[in-house]
Amino acid sequence: MYEERASRLSGAVVWANRTDEGGAGRVLPDGCMDLLWHEGRLLVAGPDTRAHVTEGAQGVWVGLRFYPGTAPAVLGVPAHELLDRRVELGDLWPAADVRRLRDRVVRAADPAAALEEIALERTPPPDPSLRRLVEALGAGRSVAAAADELGLGARRLHRRCRAAFGYGPKTLARVLRMQRALALARAGVPLAETALRAGYADQPHLSRDVRELAGLPLTGLLGG
């Protein structure tokens, strides 16, 4: 059973998921990174360019999903170094620090709240330009238009996106477009209209893009 709530960390989400069976789950690209807790381990989920299949991941998982582009400043690691990866937090931070934080989560009545506190203590002031970029691309504006709004050249924008999101602005725009389309389709909007409203050329374009990013046809995702 999956549950989530808004975090006190701006734009973030605190979530918990209990899986009692060993079936495969599917985490879709969303531009985000997560700090995870599972069976005494602290892990980091890097940004995805394709669906991450969680084969046989039983038990209770707890996580803090950062707002897109904000996790690298907390973790101290550029996002592109974690692209399509799940790593131990101990691979990124000193072992002594991670042991102390792990003990803190173990003692906590609510592991999710403990993760949230850890992130709040380490989060620097947000970069408003990154949030503006996510909002612009998430609203369907082109990469060129978003770059103009931020006053950034193409090369500088690409460097900043790789550090913050793990990939360039075109991939970020593609991921956010898919998430926008899924939200519309799940709300009952017909697929042809969903494609146009989300910024695709047509419904076949939507279907191809979703299959490439999610590893399943659109109807399969909606059915699941």
Side-chain angles (χ1 to χ4, degrees), residues 72-92:
V74 179
L75 300 172
V77 179
H80 62 79
E81 294 187 9
L82 301 175
L83 190 63
D84 293 317
R85 298 175 61 198
R86 270 62 179 162
V87 302
E88 300 278 349
L89 185 61
D91 293 339
L92 309 179

